[in-house]
mmCIF file of all heavy atoms in Angstrom:
data_model
loop_
_atom_site.group_PDB
_atom_site.id
_atom_site.type_symbol
_atom_site.label_atom_id
_atom_site.label_comp_id
_atom_site.label_asym_id
_atom_site.label_seq_id
_atom_site.Cartn_x
_atom_site.Cartn_y
_atom_site.Cartn_z
ATOM 1 N N PRO A 158 16.960 10.780 36.350
ATOM 2 C CA PRO A 158 17.134 10.305 34.970
ATOM 3 C C PRO A 158 17.143 8.785 34.855
ATOM 4 O O PRO A 158 17.606 8.257 33.843
ATOM 5 C CB PRO A 158 18.493 10.882 34.603
ATOM 6 C CG PRO A 158 19.261 10.800 35.887
ATOM 7 C CD PRO A 158 18.272 11.081 36.984
ATOM 8 N N GLU A 159 16.619 8.060 35.852
ATOM 9 C CA GLU A 159 16.643 6.603 35.781
ATOM 10 C C GLU A 159 15.861 6.137 34.552
ATOM 11 O O GLU A 159 14.801 6.686 34.212
ATOM 12 C CB GLU A 159 16.033 5.993 37.046
ATOM 13 C CG GLU A 159 16.199 4.493 37.141
ATOM 14 C CD GLU A 159 15.731 3.936 38.485
ATOM 15 O OE1 GLU A 159 15.372 4.728 39.367
ATOM 16 O OE2 GLU A 159 15.746 2.694 38.621
ATOM 17 N N LEU A 160 16.370 5.109 33.881
ATOM 18 C CA LEU A 160 15.749 4.589 32.670
ATOM 19 C C LEU A 160 14.353 4.069 32.972
ATOM 20 O O LEU A 160 14.151 3.307 33.922
ATOM 21 C CB LEU A 160 16.606 3.466 32.089
ATOM 22 C CG LEU A 160 16.099 2.832 30.787
ATOM 23 C CD1 LEU A 160 16.202 3.823 29.634
ATOM 24 C CD2 LEU A 160 16.908 1.559 30.487
ATOM 25 N N SER A 161 13.389 4.482 32.161
ATOM 26 C CA SER A 161 11.997 4.042 32.313
ATOM 27 C C SER A 161 11.624 3.154 31.139
ATOM 28 O O SER A 161 11.671 3.574 29.984
ATOM 29 C CB SER A 161 11.066 5.253 32.365
ATOM 30 O OG SER A 161 9.714 4.859 32.169
ATOM 31 N N ASN A 162 11.235 1.911 31.436
ATOM 32 C CA ASN A 162 10.779 1.015 30.383
ATOM 33 C C ASN A 162 9.497 1.527 29.740
ATOM 34 O O ASN A 162 9.297 1.402 28.533
ATOM 35 C CB ASN A 162 10.573 -0.387 30.946
ATOM 36 C CG ASN A 162 11.874 -1.021 31.367
ATOM 37 O OD1 ASN A 162 12.682 -1.420 30.536
ATOM 38 N ND2 ASN A 162 12.108 -1.109 32.671
ATOM 39 N N THR A 163 8.650 2.127 30.548
ATOM 40 C CA THR A 163 7.447 2.747 30.001
ATOM 41 C C THR A 163 7.818 3.844 29.020
ATOM 42 O O THR A 163 7.182 4.004 27.969
ATOM 43 C CB THR A 163 6.588 3.322 31.144
ATOM 44 O OG1 THR A 163 6.206 2.263 32.028
ATOM 45 C CG2 THR A 163 5.332 3.992 30.603
ATOM 46 N N GLY A 164 8.869 4.597 29.338
ATOM 47 C CA GLY A 164 9.333 5.649 28.439
ATOM 48 C C GLY A 164 9.757 5.107 27.094
ATOM 49 O O GLY A 164 9.610 5.776 26.060
ATOM 50 N N GLY A 165 10.309 3.878 27.075
ATOM 51 C CA GLY A 165 10.701 3.275 25.810
ATOM 52 C C GLY A 165 9.523 3.039 24.896
ATOM 53 O O GLY A 165 9.611 3.236 23.675
ATOM 54 N N LEU A 166 8.397 2.638 25.462
ATOM 55 C CA LEU A 166 7.189 2.430 24.665
ATOM 56 C C LEU A 166 6.583 3.765 24.237
ATOM 57 O O LEU A 166 6.082 3.897 23.117
ATOM 58 C CB LEU A 166 6.180 1.614 25.478
ATOM 59 C CG LEU A 166 5.114 0.839 24.693
ATOM 60 C CD1 LEU A 166 5.735 -0.052 23.645
ATOM 61 C CD2 LEU A 166 4.269 0.018 25.657
ATOM 62 N N ILE A 167 6.652 4.744 25.117
ATOM 63 C CA ILE A 167 6.172 6.087 24.772
ATOM 64 C C ILE A 167 6.928 6.627 23.562
ATOM 65 O O ILE A 167 6.342 7.257 22.674
ATOM 66 C CB ILE A 167 6.322 7.037 25.979
ATOM 67 C CG1 ILE A 167 5.305 6.690 27.070
ATOM 68 C CG2 ILE A 167 6.175 8.495 25.554
ATOM 69 C CD1 ILE A 167 5.511 7.463 28.359
ATOM 70 N N ASP A 168 8.232 6.360 23.515
ATOM 71 C CA ASP A 168 9.059 6.886 22.426
ATOM 72 C C ASP A 168 8.569 6.431 21.054
ATOM 73 O O ASP A 168 8.656 7.185 20.075
ATOM 74 C CB ASP A 168 10.514 6.456 22.616
ATOM 75 C CG ASP A 168 11.206 7.189 23.755
ATOM 76 O OD1 ASP A 168 10.683 8.232 24.183
ATOM 77 O OD2 ASP A 168 12.263 6.703 24.203
ATOM 78 N N ILE A 169 8.065 5.204 20.959
ATOM 79 C CA ILE A 169 7.561 4.711 19.680
ATOM 80 C C ILE A 169 6.420 5.590 19.189
ATOM 81 O O ILE A 169 6.371 6.030 18.030
ATOM 82 C CB ILE A 169 7.076 3.254 19.808
ATOM 83 C CG1 ILE A 169 8.229 2.329 20.169
ATOM 84 C CG2 ILE A 169 6.394 2.798 18.518
ATOM 85 C CD1 ILE A 169 7.794 0.902 20.452
ATOM 86 N N SER A 170 5.474 5.859 20.076
ATOM 87 C CA SER A 170 4.296 6.639 19.705
ATOM 88 C C SER A 170 4.632 8.101 19.441
ATOM 89 O O SER A 170 4.149 8.695 18.467
ATOM 90 C CB SER A 170 3.247 6.531 20.814
ATOM 91 O OG SER A 170 2.037 7.161 20.446
ATOM 92 N N THR A 171 5.481 8.683 20.276
ATOM 93 C CA THR A 171 5.795 10.106 20.103
ATOM 94 C C THR A 171 6.560 10.363 18.814
ATOM 95 O O THR A 171 6.379 11.409 18.182
ATOM 96 C CB THR A 171 6.595 10.650 21.299
ATOM 97 O OG1 THR A 171 7.798 9.893 21.465
ATOM 98 C CG2 THR A 171 5.780 10.587 22.584
ATOM 99 N N ARG A 172 7.412 9.414 18.413
ATOM 100 C CA ARG A 172 8.150 9.594 17.161
ATOM 101 C C ARG A 172 7.207 9.644 15.963
ATOM 102 O O ARG A 172 7.389 10.452 15.048
ATOM 103 C CB ARG A 172 9.184 8.475 16.984
ATOM 104 C CG ARG A 172 10.446 8.648 17.817
ATOM 105 C CD ARG A 172 11.557 7.750 17.328
ATOM 106 N NE ARG A 172 11.217 6.337 17.505
ATOM 107 C CZ ARG A 172 11.569 5.613 18.568
ATOM 108 N NH1 ARG A 172 12.246 6.168 19.556
ATOM 109 N NH2 ARG A 172 11.246 4.343 18.652
ATOM 110 N N ILE A 173 6.207 8.783 15.963
ATOM 111 C CA ILE A 173 5.233 8.777 14.866
ATOM 112 C C ILE A 173 4.449 10.083 14.845
ATOM 113 O O ILE A 173 4.268 10.709 13.794
ATOM 114 C CB ILE A 173 4.275 7.576 14.987
ATOM 115 C CG1 ILE A 173 5.048 6.263 14.831
ATOM 116 C CG2 ILE A 173 3.159 7.668 13.941
ATOM 117 C CD1 ILE A 173 4.217 5.022 15.107
ATOM 118 N N MET A 174 3.993 10.519 16.009
ATOM 119 C CA MET A 174 3.215 11.763 16.074
ATOM 120 C C MET A 174 4.048 12.956 15.615
ATOM 121 O O MET A 174 3.594 13.768 14.800
ATOM 122 C CB MET A 174 2.709 11.991 17.492
ATOM 123 C CG MET A 174 1.603 11.050 17.913
ATOM 124 S SD MET A 174 0.873 11.594 19.486
ATOM 125 C CE MET A 174 -0.309 10.278 19.776
ATOM 126 N N ALA A 175 5.248 13.071 16.145
ATOM 127 C CA ALA A 175 6.095 14.219 15.809
ATOM 128 C C ALA A 175 6.421 14.252 14.317
ATOM 129 O O ALA A 175 6.528 15.329 13.719
ATOM 130 C CB ALA A 175 7.378 14.186 16.635
ATOM 131 N N ALA A 176 6.559 13.073 13.707
ATOM 132 C CA ALA A 176 6.884 13.003 12.280
ATOM 133 C C ALA A 176 5.748 13.524 11.409
ATOM 134 O O ALA A 176 5.960 13.850 10.231
ATOM 135 C CB ALA A 176 7.211 11.568 11.885
ATOM 136 N N HIS A 177 4.549 13.622 11.985
ATOM 137 C CA HIS A 177 3.392 14.068 11.211
ATOM 138 C C HIS A 177 2.800 15.365 11.752
ATOM 139 O O HIS A 177 1.620 15.650 11.553
ATOM 140 C CB HIS A 177 2.343 12.959 11.159
ATOM 141 C CG HIS A 177 2.818 11.754 10.390
ATOM 142 N ND1 HIS A 177 2.777 11.689 9.026
ATOM 143 C CD2 HIS A 177 3.392 10.598 10.807
ATOM 144 C CE1 HIS A 177 3.280 10.531 8.617
ATOM 145 N NE2 HIS A 177 3.665 9.851 9.689
ATOM 146 N N GLY A 178 3.626 16.144 12.431
ATOM 147 C CA GLY A 178 3.239 17.500 12.784
ATOM 148 C C GLY A 178 2.582 17.703 14.122
ATOM 149 O O GLY A 178 2.221 18.837 14.470
#
Side-chain angles (χ1 to χ4, degrees):
E159 188 173 355
L160 181 69
S161 165
N162 293 287
T163 300
L166 203 53
I167 289 172
D168 288 343
I169 297 174
S170 186
T171 58
R172 282 196 295 266
I173 296 173
M174 288 190 183
H177 294 279

